Amino acid sequence: MELSQCLPFWGSLSKEQQCLLEQSTVLNHVSKGQIIHNGTEDCVGILVLQTGQLRGYSLSSEGREVTLYRLFERDVCVLSAYCMLNSLQFDITVAAEKDSVFWRIPPNIYKSVMEQSAPMANYTTELIASRLSDVMWLLDQILYKHLDSRIAGFLVSEARLNGENTLNLTHEEIAHHLGSAREVVTRMLKYFANEGMVELGRGKVVLKDVDELERIGNESLR
Amino acid sequence: MELSQCLPFWGSLSKEQQCLLEQSTVLNHVSKGQIIHNGTEDCVGILVLQTGQLRGYSLSSEGREVTLYRLFERDVCVLSAYCMLNSLQFDITVAAEKDSVFWRIPPNIYKSVMEQSAPMANYTTELIASRLSDVMWLLDQILYKHLDSRIAGFLVSEARLNGENTLNLTHEEIAHHLGSAREVVTRMLKYFANEGMVELGRGKVVLKDVDELERIGNESLR
């Protein structure tokens, strides 16, 4: 796969602009668990994922986490280049959920080309709008759903993502995805286990009744 | 005030592009309380506020609300032109909080010029990034603050916004701003009243101890 295949505006750039981007782009290999972008400590740039899986999350000063979005093959991460946009006023962390390979375009280079190119700027607008939609979805979940519904929905979507009903996740990891506390997640998982919907093991959750979990996952508050 | 003074990219447009925008833009007058944009029922376009105050909020199917952002003089609302961007996949409502006058640019016209103009597209990227920052701030509040802290912070910021310590707001309106339930807000306000921080009247809240409310408003969870 080439960088140019992942960037739909590529064909509209001049040869000079294409060269500038290609020459400054670096291919990175990271291992599962590695932190790629850490709040405002760095401004690593635009990430274009070749293989693997990345997770963008918010981290509170007290160590609580909530998953904001996930990135898969060919996805582009723009929030790790926050210094490129004056109006991005918040901290996120981006980490590898699987061993991953990605291109990194330095923020100043990306910005200098984007300022010249309407197609590239329009594409970037869509990227930011897409992240806004992710966060709006999350806000909706938090405001209008009970935690049982959010956990059930999360388990079903993780099983689909991984293509199997055994999830290698600790209760703490689930809490981090959902912005909740471990004790609260443990209590709810035990309830699901008592009802026969899941089986719990050390560092894993096995889904036994996906239909029922899905039904609960679709419930709204009240 | 002219439309061109509110749009920083104006000078970079061609005469034809400026004419196209000017000829298709409509000046609207709305009264306090009027709904301007209602979810996906319509796609009213880009709003440029001349005078007044607008509120963008999310509305659940059960009628619960939460304030996402506010717009003041010279602010530009792009989420009411959601059909212009494929990646904006959520519903919001925009209503007038005061009698307001705004220009409305049709979404198809704005989009057609933005596709040609890098400065306009870059400006629009910043607008969307700014709304994303608003929603991230809100998410942070909801995840990491107790409701007493959120209500106290809201009362102080409303008092600053209006320049007086008497707020003409019902408990239900406060709940709608914060995405909470009226009963919960009433309970908390009564607690604040017992502690001498506020006085409650019919449809109003009078702030008596702004310093203490501000202190509570700055507290984080745990």
Side-chain angles (χ1 to χ4, degrees):
Chain A
M1 207 195 316
E2 300 286 321
L3 177 65
S4 58
Q5 293 172 278
C6 299
L7 302 175
F9 56 81
W10 192 262
S12 73
L13 299 179
S14 69
K15 278 274 164 285
E16 290 74 25
Q17 290 171 326
Q18 291 177 352
C19 279
L20 179 62
L21 286 173
E22 268 173 348
Q23 283 169 1
S24 58
T25 296
V26 182
L27 192 67
N28 292 58
H29 293 72
V30 292
S31 308
K32 180 178 168 173
Q34 204 170 320
I35 287 177
I36 299 161
H37 168 75
N38 190 5
T40 47
E41 273 180 31
D42 42 15
C43 179
V44 295
I46 303 282
L47 312 177
V48 184
L49 195 54
Q50 197 181 84
T51 59
Q53 186 173 314
L54 306 183
R55 178 170 86 102
Y57 58 97
S58 149
L59 183 65
S60 79
S61 50
E62 290 82 16
R64 283 181 66 188
E65 292 181 9
V66 65
T67 298
L68 300 170
Y69 59 89
R70 251 103 169 243
L71 299 173
F72 305 98
E73 221 172 89
R74 287 169 183 264
D75 279 346
V76 177
C77 184
V78 67
L79 299 189
S80 47
Y82 72 92
C83 58
M84 204 177 73
L85 295 166
N86 298 324
S87 311
L88 283 182
Q89 300 285 351
F90 54 87
D91 293 358
I92 61 148
T93 308
V94 179
E97 277 197 313
K98 295 181 181 170
D99 292 349
S100 301
V101 181
F102 60 84
W103 290 282
R104 185 175 67 76
I105 310 174
N108 56 331
I109 303 288
Y110 190 94
K111 186 178 183 178
S112 71
V113 181
M114 178 171 72
E115 279 172 351
Q116 306 296 321
S117 162
M120 187 166 168
N122 276 284
Y123 170 78
T124 309
T125 304
E126 288 282 356
L127 275 186
I128 304 271
S130 177
R131 289 297 87 77
L132 177 56
S133 297
D134 291 339
V135 177
M136 285 296 297
W137 178 87
L138 177 62
L139 188 68
D140 210 65
Q141 295 275 312
I142 291 172
L143 285 173
Y144 307 131
K145 279 184 176 255
H146 283 299
L147 193 67
D148 60 342
S149 174
R150 293 184 58 215
I151 295 177
F154 173 77
L155 295 176
V156 172
S157 76
E158 285 299 295
R160 294 238 164 91
L161 190 59
N162 297 316
E164 52 173 327
N165 285 344
T166 298
L167 304 175
N168 293 309
L169 285 169
T170 64
H171 300 185
E172 178 140 33
E173 284 169 331
I174 297 172
H176 279 169
H177 278 291
L178 300 173
S180 182
R182 190 197 51 75
E183 307 78 39
V184 183
V185 169
T186 295
R187 206 179 312 136
M188 199 64 82
L189 287 174
K190 282 185 179 163
Y191 164 76
F192 287 165
N194 286 338
E195 299 288 311
M197 290 184 267
V198 301
E199 263 174 29
L200 303 177
R202 181 178 278 274
K204 69 177 181 181
V205 180
V206 187
L207 278 60
K208 306 301 284 185
D209 189 345
V210 174
D211 290 348
E212 181 61 10
L213 286 168
E214 190 160 25
R215 195 192 59 73
I216 294 174
N218 287 326
E219 277 175 3
S220 280
L221 213 62
R222 284 184 216 175
Chain B
M1 210 194 317
E2 300 286 320
L3 177 64
S4 58
Q5 294 173 277
C6 300
L7 302 175
F9 55 81
W10 192 264
S12 73
L13 299 178
S14 69
K15 279 274 165 284
E16 291 74 25
Q17 290 170 327
Q18 291 179 351
C19 279
L20 179 62
L21 286 173
E22 268 174 347
Q23 283 167 5
S24 58
T25 296
V26 182
L27 192 67
N28 291 60
H29 294 72
V30 293
S31 308
K32 181 180 169 173
Q34 203 171 319
I35 288 177
I36 299 161
H37 168 75
N38 191 4
T40 47
E41 273 180 27
D42 42 14
C43 181
V44 296
I46 303 283
L47 312 177
V48 184
L49 196 54
Q50 198 182 83
T51 60
Q53 186 173 315
L54 307 183
R55 178 170 86 102
Y57 57 98
S58 150
L59 183 64
S60 79
S61 51
E62 291 82 16
R64 283 181 65 188
E65 294 180 7
V66 65
T67 298
L68 300 171
Y69 59 88
R70 250 101 171 246
L71 300 174
F72 305 97
E73 222 172 86
R74 288 169 182 263
D75 278 346
V76 177
C77 185
V78 67
L79 300 188
S80 46
Y82 71 93
C83 58
M84 205 175 72
L85 295 166
N86 298 324
S87 310
L88 283 182
Q89 300 285 349
F90 54 88
D91 294 358
I92 59 145
T93 308
V94 179
E97 277 197 313
K98 295 182 179 169
D99 293 350
S100 302
V101 181
F102 60 85
W103 290 282
R104 187 175 67 75
I105 310 174
N108 56 330
I109 302 288
Y110 189 95
K111 187 178 182 175
S112 71
V113 181
M114 178 171 72
E115 280 172 351
Q116 307 296 321
S117 161
M120 188 166 168
N122 276 284
Y123 170 78
T124 310
T125 305
E126 288 281 356
L127 275 185
I128 302 273
S130 176
R131 289 296 87 78
L132 176 56
S133 297
D134 291 339
V135 177
M136 284 296 297
W137 178 86
L138 177 62
L139 188 69
D140 210 66
Q141 294 276 311
I142 291 172
L143 284 172
Y144 307 130
K145 277 183 177 255
H146 284 297
L147 193 66
D148 59 343
S149 175
R150 293 184 59 215
I151 294 176
F154 173 75
L155 295 176
V156 172
S157 76
E158 285 299 295
R160 295 240 163 90
L161 191 58
N162 297 316
E164 52 172 327
N165 286 343
T166 298
L167 304 175
N168 293 307
L169 286 168
T170 66
H171 300 183
E172 179 140 32
E173 284 169 331
I174 296 171
H176 279 169
H177 278 291
L178 299 173
S180 182
R182 190 197 50 75
E183 306 78 41
V184 183
V185 169
T186 295
R187 208 180 309 136
M188 199 64 82
L189 287 174
K190 282 185 180 162
Y191 163 76
F192 287 165
N194 285 337
E195 299 288 311
M197 290 183 265
V198 300
E199 263 175 29
L200 303 177
R202 181 177 278 274
K204 69 176 180 181
V205 180
V206 186
L207 277 60
K208 305 301 283 183
D209 189 345
V210 174
D211 289 349
E212 181 61 10
L213 287 168
E214 191 159 25
R215 196 192 59 72
I216 296 175
N218 287 327
E219 277 174 2
S220 280
L221 214 62
R222 283 184 219 175

